[in-house]
Amino acid sequence: MIEIAQSAGFCFGVNRAVETVEQAVGEKRKVVTLGPIIHNHHVVRRFRELGVEVIETPEEAKPGDTVIIRSHGVPRRVYEALQARGVEVIDATCPFVKRIHGIVEKADAEGRLPIIIGTRAHPEVEGIAGWCGHCRVFESPEELESFARSGEISPDAPICMVCQTTSTENLWKKCVEIAKKEFTALKMFDTICRATESRQTEAAELSRKADAMVVVGDVQSSNTGRLAMICRQYCDRVYLVDNASELRQEDFAGAAFVGITAGASTPAWIIKEVNKTMSEITNDVVQEENFEELLEQSIKTLNTGDKVTGIVTGIGNTEVQVDLGTKHAGYIPYDEVSSDPSVKPEDVLKVGDEIQVFVVRVNDQEGTVQLSKKKLDGMKVWDDMAAWVEDKTTVEGTITEVNKGGLVANIKGIRVFIPASQSGIAKGGDMSGLVGQTVKMHITEVNRARRRVIGSIRAVLAEERKAAQEKFWSEIEVGKKYHGTVKSLTSFGAFVDVGGVDGMVHVSELSWNRIKNPAEVVKVGDEIDVYVIAFDPVKKKISLGYKTAEMNPWNQFMTKYAIGDVVDAKIVKLMTFGAFAEILPGVDGLIHISQIADRRIGKPEDVLSEGQEVKVKITDIDAEAKRISLSIRALLDAPEEPSEEA
């Protein structure tokens, strides 16, 4: 049997960095990365084949380069050096690492000594250290304890302690114990990436039950090395491989259960190849299974309070059956599946699903064990919520009701109160329309003892608006077209929302015809296509155009009419020398007094009046001067067409 850890492969930060490079390459930029984008030579080689260069110092960046900062992050001085060279910089630093930069920078400004628990030579740690004037890095609890007792620093000196995101939970906890004992003015921030923690926990759990473990990843990768180290604590046969070609069949002789995990920098395609090769290997090995070892595994003991992993084997009328790989028959009562009473077990579970559950009660006499998915989910949600507050994570919840003070949402069975001021609805507005909707929010306060959770929709809307505005200003250019919505009208123009940012269309840019009020052309709520005439990123002002060359009445006339055409026109103005007639809105032609009638007349009003509809012939077009000569007389002088009978 082969089992792959659920969290194996790219973490959020690495995936974000890789996607950033792919996007920049797709935009045909000249892309370079400051150091390898991730610790995996297969990925680096693939990007090199796509034209992405790797530079080691800012000084190697050339004009026209787009320099991408890798997920590990870099010191502040590197940003400054790149800016001084005038190159475009895209920051793909993992958000969790970026948060540590902010913590140590603030601590340094407050006069606290930043202490970093991690590997000194690791790029992430070097980057963190570059955001404060002075700091200390310790790789082990012993180093930290030796420093604390050396007399180099006072026990009551202000300290701020953080750790490398890929550090192990065990190392951090030991350092916390020492720091609490040795320093009295201590601030601590557990900055281990939760994805890293999850990956390490899964690797430990998998290696506990595996006969052999395969850890896939680049040998230069710190987090891959730590995974292998963790697996070796629980499994004697651990193989760290770069790819499937390094797997040897003889290494897995007699292994009935093989676990596979992978570092955060390992691409999915390499993991798939390893899984396929291992499947081919274990097909030969299965015939040599040691049934005594399998029997020993089947009589593992379970205790109340354990968190265990099992496979759903059946969904009955009152309970869900779960195979825990032990002598006990596991079951989850329906009311222990979910904290949401409206959820049906078959909606969230399927036969064959692997799930984590909480052991509620063990009955050795009957050989059964009662399990709860709801309890374990609840414990995880409260832990998650505390982390969401600190990390300002955006989460989704369903609005269940409106009350006097605001809204109530459900997030994984937890009741979340959203004050009216944080609902995103204007004061006095109707919030009932949100009931039943899934909305995004930030968790701003968690009190586990009182089971009180406060959320904010408004905070997410503000972030999204800010992100949209930043994206807009980074991409705006003269001539760029946008589809926008008219937000308001003034006497001098219309304000149009073009994606979270308002621009103004001056009244002169609304129409080719003379208009007195913008309302003659557009109204609030209209969706219109506009283009950028000018913009000021400092003052955040944008001038937009609405009228286009295609809308120009003269261009329409030139496309539609030619000399000799007979058209319907309306007399719009009488002069002593003739009459002006409108052919199209905004396009007038002159009927000279000599061309009004087939006889001499004293003045145009003897024959014509304003508003009168007449047929005229186009006798001349001066395209350069935009002048048109018309004639009524030419139609009066024209000979009649002979009839067919004649």
Side-chain angles (χ1 to χ4, degrees):
M1 179 178 175
I2 298 172
E3 183 175 330
I4 301 177
Q6 290 184 355
S7 60
F10 281 177
C11 68
F12 165 77
V14 168
N15 191 58
R16 176 174 172 270
V18 170
E19 287 182 349
T20 298
V21 176
E22 290 173 342
Q23 181 179 346
V25 170
E27 293 171 354
K28 308 297 183 184
R29 305 189 192 192
K30 188 178 184 304
V31 181
V32 300
T33 64
L34 189 57
I37 191 67
I38 61 173
H39 277 161
N40 188 280
H41 63 94
H42 298 286
V43 175
V44 174
R45 183 174 65 243
R46 182 172 74 87
F47 280 146
R48 187 178 291 116
E49 290 169 357
L50 293 174
V52 178
E53 297 178 12
V54 178
I55 61 174
E56 297 300 330
T57 65
E59 289 69 31
E60 294 176 56
K62 302 180 184 66
D65 284 352
T66 294
V67 181
I68 298 181
I69 305 296
R70 57 184 173 176
S71 57
H72 292 311
V74 294
R76 179 167 45 202
R77 65 177 181 277
V78 174
Y79 287 90
E80 294 169 350
L82 288 170
Q83 289 172 356
R85 295 188 69 79
V87 297
E88 181 184 13
V89 177
I90 298 178
D91 192 353
T93 302
C94 171
F96 300 112
V97 176
K98 200 74 175 172
R99 174 174 167 260
I100 307 176
H101 293 174
I103 291 172
V104 298
E105 184 178 28
K106 182 180 178 182
D108 188 49
E110 293 174 347
R112 290 183 174 274
L113 173 67
I115 288 180
I116 306 167
I117 305 302
T119 306
R120 290 184 185 84
H122 194 280
E124 179 187 317
V125 174
E126 292 176 345
I128 295 169
W131 285 88
C132 48
H134 178 60
C135 68
R136 295 298 298 266
V137 179
F138 300 107
E139 298 187 349
S140 68
E142 292 76 17
E143 280 190 16
L144 176 62
E145 188 171 38
S146 176
F147 166 75
R149 297 182 178 180
S150 66
E152 184 178 337
I153 189 170
S154 170
D156 58 355
I159 301 291
C160 172
M161 193 164 80
V162 298
C163 60
Q164 188 177 336
T165 57
T166 54
S167 180
T168 63
E169 192 72 17
N170 186 44
L171 170 61
W172 172 248
K173 285 181 177 178
K174 287 182 178 179
C175 289
V176 166
E177 289 176 8
I178 292 170
K180 284 183 176 179
K181 191 189 308 178
E182 301 293 339
F183 303 111
T184 58
L186 174 67
K187 278 189 178 182
M188 292 178 298
F189 296 87
D190 180 355
T191 51
I192 294 177
C193 174
R194 298 278 77 90
T196 299
E197 180 185 350
S198 176
R199 181 180 285 102
Q200 293 175 354
T201 300
E202 284 185 23
E205 291 175 354
L206 196 55
S207 59
R208 281 190 179 98
K209 57 184 181 181
D211 300 313
M213 281 294 298
V214 178
V215 181
V216 190
D218 195 309
V219 293
Q220 301 298 322
S221 169
S222 172
N223 71 78
T224 302
R226 282 200 175 91
L227 282 179
M229 179 186 72
I230 290 169
C231 291
R232 290 188 181 105
Q233 294 176 9
Y234 308 103
C235 183
D236 295 328
R237 298 160 70 181
V238 177
Y239 304 99
L240 198 166
V241 299
D242 178 71
N243 56 69
S245 67
E246 296 182 7
L247 295 169
R248 299 182 305 175
Q249 184 166 351
E250 58 267 31
D251 290 335
F252 302 94
F257 188 108
V258 178
I260 299 175
T261 186
S265 301
T266 307
W269 62 270
I270 291 182
I271 301 172
K272 284 185 178 180
E273 287 184 355
V274 168
N275 183 36
K276 181 182 177 183
T277 302
M278 280 307 309
S279 298
E280 295 170 353
I281 290 175
T282 52
N283 281 340
D284 298 330
V285 177
V286 165
Q287 300 172 4
E288 303 175 12
E289 288 177 336
N290 185 327
F291 289 98
E292 289 185 5
E293 290 182 3
L294 294 178
L295 180 61
E296 186 178 340
Q297 285 184 1
S298 71
I299 58 176
K300 291 186 295 186
T301 59
L302 293 173
N303 298 296
T304 300
D306 284 352
K307 298 174 187 177
V308 294
T309 301
I311 305 294
V312 176
T313 57
I315 300 177
N317 294 326
T318 60
E319 63 187 33
V320 177
Q321 291 84 44
V322 181
D323 179 7
L324 300 173
T326 70
K327 65 179 181 179
H328 297 87
Y331 69 95
I332 309 173
Y334 268 15
D335 59 359
E336 289 297 325
V337 172
S338 172
S339 57
D340 185 349
S342 66
V343 170
K344 297 179 180 179
E346 57 268 28
D347 293 338
V348 294
L349 295 174
K350 301 189 300 294
V351 173
D353 281 354
E354 181 180 273
I355 59 171
Q356 272 200 320
V357 286
F358 183 86
V359 176
V360 177
R361 186 181 301 109
V362 179
N363 190 326
D364 287 321
Q365 289 184 338
E366 296 181 6
T368 60
V369 55
Q370 181 180 332
L371 307 168
S372 173
K373 181 177 180 294
K374 178 175 72 175
K375 280 187 174 61
L376 190 58
D377 289 346
M379 292 164 62
K380 287 181 178 177
V381 171
W382 281 102
D383 290 340
D384 289 342
M385 285 198 170
W388 295 340
V389 174
E390 188 173 338
D391 299 335
K392 295 183 178 179
T393 304
T394 299
V395 295
E396 290 187 345
T398 303
I399 303 299
T400 58
E401 62 179 276
V402 178
N403 60 32
K404 188 176 181 180
L407 300 167
V408 175
N410 182 297
I411 298 182
K412 297 183 179 180
I414 303 296
R415 186 178 188 274
V416 179
F417 175 66
I418 303 168
S421 63
Q422 299 301 313
S423 67
I425 303 295
K427 188 175 182 180
D430 184 11
M431 295 185 290
S432 61
L434 291 175
V435 175
Q437 291 192 24
T438 299
V439 298
K440 294 179 180 179
M441 70 185 81
H442 281 175
I443 302 301
T444 57
E445 180 184 332
V446 173
N447 188 321
R448 194 164 185 169
R450 296 177 60 189
R451 301 187 69 80
R452 173 182 170 87
V453 182
I454 305 296
S456 172
I457 299 173
R458 180 182 173 186
V460 174
L461 295 177
E463 279 188 356
E464 290 177 345
R465 187 162 52 252
K466 182 180 178 182
Q469 290 174 350
E470 289 177 351
K471 184 174 187 294
F472 179 91
W473 284 107
S474 69
E475 297 175 347
I476 189 173
E477 56 185 74
V478 172
K480 191 166 185 177
K481 297 179 180 178
Y482 292 95
H483 186 72
T485 303
V486 179
K487 304 298 289 185
S488 63
L489 302 178
T490 69
S491 60
F492 50 83
F495 285 95
V496 181
D497 181 346
V498 285
V501 178
D502 286 353
M504 195 196 76
V505 184
H506 191 268
V507 67
S508 63
E509 292 296 328
L510 280 171
S511 174
W512 287 95
N513 300 325
R514 286 187 177 182
I515 60 173
K516 295 180 179 179
N517 193 304
E520 295 176 39
V521 181
V522 295
K523 63 181 182 296
V524 173
D526 281 356
E527 293 187 5
I528 62 175
D529 291 317
V530 293
Y531 58 94
V532 178
I533 296 175
F535 63 93
D536 186 336
V538 177
K539 295 181 179 179
K540 303 297 182 186
K541 290 185 177 181
I542 308 167
S543 295
L544 301 172
Y546 175 58
K547 65 182 186 183
T548 63
E550 293 77 17
M551 296 164 64
N552 188 335
W554 179 261
N555 291 344
Q556 293 179 29
F557 170 83
M558 294 296 290
T559 302
K560 190 174 181 180
Y561 299 108
I563 294 173
D565 287 352
V566 176
V567 298
D568 291 320
K570 182 172 71 173
I571 304 302
V572 292
K573 196 170 185 180
L574 298 174
M575 307 293 287
T576 56
F577 52 84
F580 285 98
E582 183 186 74
I583 303 169
L584 291 173
V587 179
D588 298 341
L590 174 65
I591 311 172
H592 192 268
I593 191 169
S594 63
Q595 296 299 314
I596 291 177
D598 56 358
R599 65 186 187 282
R600 181 185 294 275
I601 60 174
K603 50 187 182 296
E605 52 262 40
D606 293 340
V607 178
L608 301 173
S609 59
E610 289 188 5
Q612 182 180 349
E613 300 283 345
V614 295
K615 280 192 180 295
V616 295
K617 184 175 183 179
I618 301 172
T619 58
D620 188 42
I621 298 173
D622 186 340
E624 188 173 341
K626 294 184 180 179
R627 290 177 181 170
I628 306 167
S629 297
L630 303 174
S631 175
I632 297 174
R633 178 181 172 183
L635 297 177
L636 298 175
D637 291 343
E640 293 185 2
E641 294 287 336
S643 66
E644 292 183 4
E645 295 179 359

